[in-house]
Amino acid sequence: MLTSTMQPRPLLVRDIMRRGEAYCADSKVITVFADHYTESTYAEVAQRATRLASGLKAHGVSSGDRVGTFLWNNQTHLEAYLAIPSMGAVLHTLNVRLFPEQLAYVINHAEDSVIIVDDVIVELLGRVTDQLTTVKLFIVAGDGDASVLPGHVVRYEDLLASAEDSFEWPTFEEDTAAAMCYTSGTTGNPKGVVYSHRSTYLHSLAETASGSLGISEQDRILIVVPMFHANAWGTPYSAWMVGADIVMPQQYLTGEALARIIGDTRPSISCGVPTIWNSLLAWSSSHDVDLSSLRSVIAGGSSVPETLITEFEQRHGITITQGWGMTETSPLAAVAIPPAHRSKGDVTDYRLKAGRVVPGVEVRVVSPGGDVLDPDGVSVGEFEVRGPWVTASYYRDEDLASFHDGWLKTGDVGTLDARGYMAITDRTKDVIKSGGEWISSVEIENVVMSHPGVFEACVVAVPDERWFERPLVCVVYAPNSQVPFAELREFIAPLIAHWWLPERWCEMEVIPKTSVGKFDKKVIRAMHERGELTVTMFEEGSL
Amino acid sequence: MLTSTMQPRPLLVRDIMRRGEAYCADSKVITVFADHYTESTYAEVAQRATRLASGLKAHGVSSGDRVGTFLWNNQTHLEAYLAIPSMGAVLHTLNVRLFPEQLAYVINHAEDSVIIVDDVIVELLGRVTDQLTTVKLFIVAGDGDASVLPGHVVRYEDLLASAEDSFEWPTFEEDTAAAMCYTSGTTGNPKGVVYSHRSTYLHSLAETASGSLGISEQDRILIVVPMFHANAWGTPYSAWMVGADIVMPQQYLTGEALARIIGDTRPSISCGVPTIWNSLLAWSSSHDVDLSSLRSVIAGGSSVPETLITEFEQRHGITITQGWGMTETSPLAAVAIPPAHRSKGDVTDYRLKAGRVVPGVEVRVVSPGGDVLDPDGVSVGEFEVRGPWVTASYYRDEDLASFHDGWLKTGDVGTLDARGYMAITDRTKDVIKSGGEWISSVEIENVVMSHPGVFEACVVAVPDERWFERPLVCVVYAPNSQVPFAELREFIAPLIAHWWLPERWCEMEVIPKTSVGKFDKKVIRAMHERGELTVTMFEEGSL
């Protein structure tokens, strides 16, 4: 082989920081408070990030040390995003919504030596401090009471004021850890993903593509998705790299609050989970709001209902674009921008997909048996992902079940079409493994619920001697309705593959739900196992 | 340090090829011929590229071997761009406009083993075949006469027809050579730059940024800049990565031809040197043309006159955006998109800059003494460039003078402002080194030529005992004008720094010019050295 003559420059977060600082010094970072906004320039933020690095170093933080952040989306958090990786330490964003035992677990597992915490949520951190084994220093942002924190506590502003205003940024290999984030799985301990400088740099560059978020200096981005969750989808870095103005909403995330913030600060782009946009839409239907500054709203984290897309379009002229990714994928892996040269009708079909695979990421669909399926838009399997910003393992974890021949198994089930659009139909843990094939619980739920006599329907896998698993349909009838199961079966039969047609049906008063309102299928499966459900059984293949 | 958990996926051209092939199979590649167009889908192009790789392998091409291309911008050339690096060989684009001795030199220096050549320019290659020492095979695209080629000759279509339709694409390190291109310097032998898979991938991704070319699948790009010159600015790869339609104009580059091509194929974006756009503008002023499909025209390679920008804007509503780069920088390093939040008046000022440094590239300005100058928009020095797609050396060349502490010395002189905009005032070889500072020959020329009595003015450096060098102004008077030099000095004095004011003046009938119409300063300096010029000398500092 012949080696190139190109410079061996590593891709480092420091260079993201340096570009925003050097060339976009007058771009703005705005933080929302209850009754006012603060505004700083990039030059000021970069200067404070430099002091933060100096101050952390003065307190003993060195290369590779983990520094936790327990912060809302605000300027302090952005300073931590810039300073900590750039100094060679590791930014560990802590999810403020974790259960206390999970919070203590991730801090101890990552061996955080310092935690930077917002004064308004000091209480949440205080609940677990007696379980922490590695933290030597708490740094409190704000003047609020922090007496619940034990040991060595300094104020963020005091640390910055006493720190030097310059810092000798080190250089190192690009696969050095820059940041880490734990997945918030519903079962077992959270698992850590360690991002590299390389992966963060590449991901940031990829988000500036006009076929992706397309963020540029012309934009002002309202970052609604939390910076403690999958790096706020990487937007703090991609925004800073190009010099976009940044609006940080902190904990003010209700529809009412967001309407006010958008009207006041006039962002051109925003990003957050669908429920946030639903709240905003609900508020706007009964109040006078001005959302006209928004050119683009990115929604991800769960599937976006069609009504949300059409209502935003029709009532506000705003395009909602779905994105797909996971903590394990940095996270951006797919964006549901419709393909070129499509008719208007098709456009909405494409917007309803989870996303189109972006350059840099590869996605494939794999059958339960491990075969790679055709990207034909029909073959259903588990999505597997590969690429330079996709994790190859979990931090200090022996989990091999999540990886397959160098690909990450995502746990999401669905189809991939010939243009790289992903449609997600299920999670692997909820899918029904029947005779070596998969049946989507979500699709059956949707067709059953499309019957007017049904209020809610939940489909779970139950054991079957012959087929390994078969679907059980749990029905909550609409008021004054009592459609016989046989009639429901006839109703759905033409709408699904014939071998999907469920034999097992039961009625429920109410479907058990999780704390965030999703069907709690684990509970239903346990009820079935204990014989607590009255199941009507039809003969296989009968109608 | 802590190492990340990210996948160690190399950045390879093969993955650029794979994405376009997999997800944009129905995007189009259109090639222009004298009396018709050919159109292929990405799927077809990728299939042919696969056959090309198989065919080359069957003819003994293996990893690291250099394969030269002597082709216009057409589908064949794109197939070579995709196949050759992806198979692990090295694409060597040969400039069809090189002098024969330079052409023979670069083929021998690169040790090309195969050359793919368009039948219509076989004659140009035939002139040097007797000097070639390493070429074992010529592959001729098209059916035209190729009898001037000696030895082993096959037809491109025959090679593809007999090749296997699948290929086992190898994997390798990302710093492996992908392509090479020689600079066409006016003195000395051309020097080779060897691009890596990494640099090509990063450069392609960077061009998709909305603050850069912003190319996406929604675009159709007319690639006017030759693929044998600095990789057509990387656009074949960035277009393919996102699935933009591509229009290849071959040798049809006159204003008339381009007007027809644009009207027929309706591209949304194009790229080429300013003289091309000047020809198009001239043609359009006396003919009925439809350029309405164009959203963006990128111009680079030399500075863009203000009139070209304003005329395109006013007459056609088309924005011309300058880009800056060199063969050594892959080439895209800066794009002159105006900054956010500027007034309309300022916008044109920014469009007249050479470009704004793009994310991934660093630029600094260095004084003749080697000091890094402030990016204040005023301090003049040589631009030095650094980044992962900038060369660190020349291929098999001991030139160290072009590099400085890990930065590439560009030979371009000018200022860098606080927002990262570069303004180029001169080339280092033409700049006047006076008392440890630099005087721009181009700026003095411009102010002298702004006097109505002057037709042309050329400024060169001549030796000076005290200041090392001082400017000599050579004036060609306008018809019927004979303004005294003293009056010209008074005229320009308020327009330039007082210490720039030239003491030496001479009149010329005509300024010697190079073959491309530029002032030939080497010739003027030689005339001065031989005492052939009648120089009027003013006292230093006098007016």
Side-chain angles (χ1 to χ4, degrees):
Chain A
M1 301 305 256
L2 188 70
T3 298
S4 89
T5 60
M6 294 288 117
Q7 296 179 5
R9 293 283 305 164
L11 306 173
L12 300 179
V13 171
R14 186 197 62 212
D15 289 328
I16 297 177
M17 175 172 167
R18 182 144 54 191
R19 185 173 192 281
E21 180 180 13
Y23 298 146
C24 311
D26 52 4
S27 293
K28 304 284 186 295
V29 177
I30 295 165
T31 303
V32 179
F33 288 84
D35 53 4
H36 70 289
Y37 299 89
T38 62
E39 184 176 295
S40 297
T41 63
Y42 269 33
E44 290 162 345
V45 172
Q47 183 49 238
R48 286 168 57 86
T50 304
R51 285 180 175 274
L52 173 58
S54 299
L56 288 172
K57 188 180 179 190
H59 280 86
V61 172
S62 63
S63 291
D65 287 353
R66 270 74 77 199
V67 177
T69 54
F70 199 74
L71 299 164
W72 293 113
N73 288 14
N74 51 36
Q75 184 181 323
T76 308
H77 214 163
L78 181 61
E79 289 160 8
Y81 263 58
L82 297 171
I84 295 167
S86 296
M87 72 184 289
V90 183
L91 170 78
H92 177 197
T93 52
L94 297 164
N95 187 334
V96 307
R97 300 205 179 102
L98 284 182
F99 295 114
E101 60 273 22
Q102 289 185 321
L103 181 59
Y105 174 84
V106 302
I107 295 170
N108 290 335
H109 189 265
E111 300 175 280
D112 295 344
S113 60
V114 175
I115 295 177
I116 306 173
V117 53
D118 268 327
D119 58 357
V120 294
I121 43 178
V122 147
E123 293 288 340
L124 291 177
L125 187 61
R127 286 188 221 162
V128 305
T129 48
D130 60 340
Q131 301 168 52
L132 303 183
T133 55
T134 59
V135 178
K136 302 189 201 90
L137 170 67
F138 295 98
I139 301 171
V140 180
D143 298 325
D145 177 40
S147 55
V148 298
L149 297 178
H152 192 183
V153 177
V154 301
R155 294 286 169 170
Y156 189 83
E157 293 301 328
D158 292 344
L159 181 128
L160 260 55
S162 62
E164 288 183 38
D165 62 0
S166 68
F167 191 84
E168 190 83 19
W169 303 105
T171 193
F172 35 76
E173 300 290 320
E174 67 187 27
D175 65 348
T176 301
M180 61 198 304
C181 186
Y182 281 73
T183 61
S184 43
T186 46
T187 56
N189 281 320
K191 290 174 182 176
V193 174
V194 185
Y195 307 107
S196 65
H197 284 261
R198 171 184 166 95
S199 67
T200 301
Y201 195 100
L202 288 170
H203 184 267
S204 305
L205 195 58
E207 282 194 343
T208 68
S210 55
S212 173
L213 304 197
I215 191 166
S216 80
E217 198 197 33
Q218 314 298 322
D219 281 311
R220 168 169 288 193
I221 184 168
L222 170 63
I223 302 179
V224 173
V225 59
M227 292 168 77
F228 55 70
H229 176 68
N231 303 313
W233 303 346
T235 54
Y237 289 125
S238 54
W240 184 273
M241 181 183 251
V242 297
D245 285 349
I246 299 172
V247 182
M248 296 291 204
Q250 300 215 90
Q251 66 271 49
Y252 307 105
L253 302 173
T254 61
E256 178 179 3
L258 289 174
R260 174 177 64 82
I261 293 167
I262 293 167
D264 288 349
T265 65
R266 304 196 58 72
S268 60
I269 179 171
S270 189
C271 49
V273 294
T275 52
I276 290 277
W277 307 123
N278 227 352
S279 309
L280 178 61
L281 192 68
W283 175 263
S284 74
S285 67
S286 53
H287 297 81
D288 197 21
V289 302
D290 178 7
L291 311 180
S292 62
S293 63
L294 287 167
R295 72 163 174 85
S296 173
V297 162
I298 313 294
S302 63
S303 82
V304 178
E306 181 166 2
T307 51
L308 190 64
I309 293 175
T310 52
E311 298 259 307
F312 258 92
E313 176 82 46
Q314 285 162 12
R315 286 166 48 188
H316 301 286
I318 296 170
T319 300
I320 292 196
T321 302
Q322 293 201 59
W324 179 86
M326 315 164 67
T327 298
E328 289 86 339
T329 64
S330 290
L332 200 74
V335 180
I337 293 175
H341 321 306
R342 299 306 139 219
S343 72
K344 180 73 183 171
D346 285 331
V347 165
T348 304
D349 292 348
Y350 284 107
R351 292 206 183 283
L352 289 171
K353 307 280 185 179
R356 183 185 205 178
V357 182
V358 297
V361 174
E362 290 172 89
V363 173
R364 66 181 187 183
V365 175
V366 178
S367 77
D371 297 323
V372 177
L373 303 176
D374 283 339
D376 54 13
V378 177
S379 302
V380 175
E382 180 174 3
F383 288 110
E384 297 188 350
V385 186
R386 187 167 74 170
W389 55 84
V390 176
T391 201
S393 64
Y394 292 105
Y395 180 59
R396 289 173 50 205
D397 188 291
E398 297 303 308
D399 172 16
L400 297 176
S402 298
F403 304 94
H404 174 208
D405 283 348
W407 297 68
L408 168 76
K409 296 168 76 169
T410 66
D412 274 338
V413 170
T415 61
L416 182 69
D417 76 11
R419 291 199 173 88
Y421 288 84
M422 304 165 66
I424 293 174
T425 55
D426 230 322
R427 292 285 299 167
T428 44
K429 63 180 167 44
D430 296 328
V431 87
I432 298 144
K433 290 127 195 131
S434 178
E437 302 271 3
W438 278 349
I439 297 174
S440 166
S441 61
V442 174
E443 284 195 33
I444 300 180
E445 286 162 4
N446 286 340
V447 295
V448 175
M449 285 195 280
S450 71
H451 189 288
V454 174
F455 173 65
E456 267 183 344
C458 175
V459 174
V460 299
V462 295
D464 183 274
E465 290 251 325
R466 179 164 173 210
W467 298 108
F468 181 61
E469 287 180 353
R470 288 296 293 164
L472 162 67
V473 188
C474 306
V475 176
V476 178
Y477 285 113
N480 306 319
S481 157
Q482 194 74 27
V483 202
F485 292 144
E487 197 178 316
L488 287 178
R489 286 186 91 227
E490 279 179 41
F491 174 78
I492 69 169
L495 304 173
I496 54 175
H498 73 277
W499 59 274
W500 286 22
L501 192 62
E503 297 80 33
R504 296 166 179 81
W505 295 71
C506 78
E507 183 183 347
M508 284 186 142
E509 288 294 311
V510 62
I511 308 280
K513 304 220 174 57
T514 68
S515 59
V516 295
K518 292 184 182 177
F519 294 155
D520 198 336
K521 300 193 176 183
K522 209 167 33 160
V523 168
I524 300 175
R525 284 194 296 263
M527 289 169 73
H528 178 263
E529 212 171 303
R530 290 193 302 266
E532 292 171 16
L533 301 179
T534 309
V535 175
T536 303
M537 185 86 182
F538 290 82
E539 200 178 327
E540 203 177 286
S542 74
L543 246 192
Chain B
M1 301 304 257
L2 188 70
T3 298
S4 88
T5 60
M6 294 288 116
Q7 295 179 7
R9 293 284 304 165
L11 306 173
L12 300 180
V13 170
R14 185 197 63 213
D15 288 328
I16 296 177
M17 175 173 168
R18 181 142 57 190
R19 185 173 192 280
E21 179 180 14
Y23 297 146
C24 310
D26 52 5
S27 293
K28 304 285 186 296
V29 177
I30 296 165
T31 302
V32 179
F33 288 85
D35 53 3
H36 69 289
Y37 298 89
T38 62
E39 184 176 296
S40 297
T41 64
Y42 269 33
E44 289 161 347
V45 172
Q47 183 50 236
R48 286 169 57 88
T50 303
R51 284 180 177 274
L52 174 57
S54 299
L56 288 172
K57 189 179 177 190
H59 280 85
V61 173
S62 63
S63 291
D65 287 353
R66 270 75 76 198
V67 177
T69 55
F70 199 74
L71 299 165
W72 292 113
N73 288 13
N74 51 35
Q75 183 181 326
T76 307
H77 214 164
L78 180 61
E79 289 161 6
Y81 263 58
L82 296 172
I84 295 167
S86 296
M87 71 185 289
V90 182
L91 170 78
H92 177 198
T93 52
L94 297 164
N95 188 333
V96 307
R97 300 205 178 105
L98 283 181
F99 295 113
E101 60 272 25
Q102 290 185 321
L103 181 59
Y105 174 85
V106 303
I107 294 170
N108 290 334
H109 189 264
E111 300 175 281
D112 294 344
S113 60
V114 175
I115 295 178
I116 306 173
V117 53
D118 267 328
D119 58 358
V120 292
I121 43 179
V122 146
E123 293 289 340
L124 291 177
L125 186 61
R127 285 190 222 161
V128 304
T129 48
D130 60 341
Q131 301 168 53
L132 304 184
T133 56
T134 59
V135 178
K136 303 189 202 89
L137 171 66
F138 295 98
I139 301 171
V140 180
D143 298 325
D145 176 41
S147 55
V148 298
L149 296 178
H152 192 182
V153 176
V154 302
R155 293 285 169 171
Y156 189 83
E157 293 302 327
D158 293 344
L159 181 125
L160 260 54
S162 62
E164 288 184 37
D165 63 0
S166 68
F167 192 84
E168 190 82 19
W169 303 105
T171 193
F172 34 76
E173 299 290 321
E174 66 187 26
D175 64 348
T176 301
M180 61 198 305
C181 187
Y182 282 73
T183 60
S184 43
T186 47
T187 56
N189 281 320
K191 291 174 182 177
V193 174
V194 184
Y195 307 106
S196 66
H197 284 261
R198 171 185 167 93
S199 67
T200 300
Y201 195 100
L202 288 170
H203 184 267
S204 304
L205 195 57
E207 282 193 343
T208 67
S210 55
S212 174
L213 303 197
I215 191 166
S216 79
E217 197 196 33
Q218 314 299 322
D219 281 310
R220 168 170 287 194
I221 184 168
L222 170 63
I223 301 178
V224 173
V225 58
M227 293 168 78
F228 55 69
H229 175 67
N231 303 313
W233 303 346
T235 53
Y237 289 125
S238 54
W240 184 274
M241 181 184 251
V242 298
D245 285 349
I246 298 172
V247 182
M248 297 291 204
Q250 299 214 93
Q251 66 270 47
Y252 306 104
L253 302 174
T254 61
E256 178 179 2
L258 289 173
R260 175 177 63 82
I261 294 167
I262 292 167
D264 288 348
T265 65
R266 304 195 58 72
S268 60
I269 178 171
S270 189
C271 48
V273 294
T275 51
I276 289 278
W277 307 123
N278 226 354
S279 310
L280 178 60
L281 192 67
W283 177 264
S284 75
S285 68
S286 53
H287 297 80
D288 197 21
V289 302
D290 178 7
L291 312 180
S292 62
S293 63
L294 287 166
R295 71 163 176 84
S296 174
V297 162
I298 313 296
S302 62
S303 82
V304 178
E306 181 166 1
T307 50
L308 189 64
I309 293 175
T310 52
E311 297 260 306
F312 257 92
E313 175 82 47
Q314 285 163 14
R315 286 166 48 189
H316 301 287
I318 296 170
T319 299
I320 292 198
T321 302
Q322 295 201 60
W324 179 86
M326 314 164 67
T327 299
E328 290 87 339
T329 64
S330 288
L332 201 72
V335 181
I337 293 176
H341 320 308
R342 300 305 137 220
S343 73
K344 180 75 183 170
D346 285 330
V347 163
T348 305
D349 291 349
Y350 284 107
R351 291 205 184 283
L352 288 171
K353 306 280 184 179
R356 184 185 204 175
V357 182
V358 297
V361 175
E362 290 173 89
V363 173
R364 65 182 187 182
V365 175
V366 177
S367 77
D371 297 321
V372 178
L373 303 176
D374 283 339
D376 54 14
V378 176
S379 302
V380 174
E382 181 175 2
F383 288 109
E384 296 187 352
V385 187
R386 188 167 72 172
W389 57 84
V390 177
T391 201
S393 64
Y394 291 104
Y395 179 60
R396 289 174 50 207
D397 187 292
E398 297 302 309
D399 173 15
L400 297 176
S402 297
F403 303 94
H404 175 207
D405 284 348
W407 296 70
L408 168 75
K409 296 168 77 169
T410 64
D412 273 339
V413 171
T415 61
L416 183 68
D417 77 10
R419 291 200 173 86
Y421 288 85
M422 304 165 68
I424 292 174
T425 56
D426 231 323
R427 291 285 299 168
T428 44
K429 62 180 166 45
D430 296 329
V431 87
I432 298 143
K433 291 131 194 124
S434 176
E437 303 272 1
W438 277 350
I439 296 174
S440 165
S441 61
V442 175
E443 284 194 32
I444 300 180
E445 286 163 3
N446 286 340
V447 295
V448 175
M449 285 194 279
S450 71
H451 189 289
V454 175
F455 173 66
E456 268 183 343
C458 175
V459 174
V460 299
V462 295
D464 182 275
E465 289 252 324
R466 180 164 174 209
W467 299 107
F468 181 60
E469 287 180 353
R470 289 296 292 165
L472 162 68
V473 188
C474 305
V475 176
V476 178
Y477 285 112
N480 307 318
S481 157
Q482 193 73 28
V483 202
F485 293 144
E487 197 178 316
L488 288 177
R489 287 186 90 228
E490 278 178 42
F491 175 76
I492 69 169
L495 304 174
I496 54 175
H498 73 277
W499 61 273
W500 286 22
L501 191 63
E503 296 81 33
R504 295 167 180 80
W505 295 72
C506 78
E507 184 183 345
M508 286 185 141
E509 288 296 310
V510 62
I511 308 279
K513 305 221 173 58
T514 68
S515 60
V516 295
K518 291 184 183 177
F519 294 154
D520 198 336
K521 300 194 177 183
K522 211 167 31 160
V523 169
I524 299 176
R525 282 194 298 263
M527 290 169 74
H528 179 263
E529 212 172 304
R530 291 194 300 267
E532 293 171 16
L533 301 179
T534 309
V535 175
T536 302
M537 184 87 182
F538 291 82
E539 198 179 325
E540 200 177 288
S542 73
L543 248 191

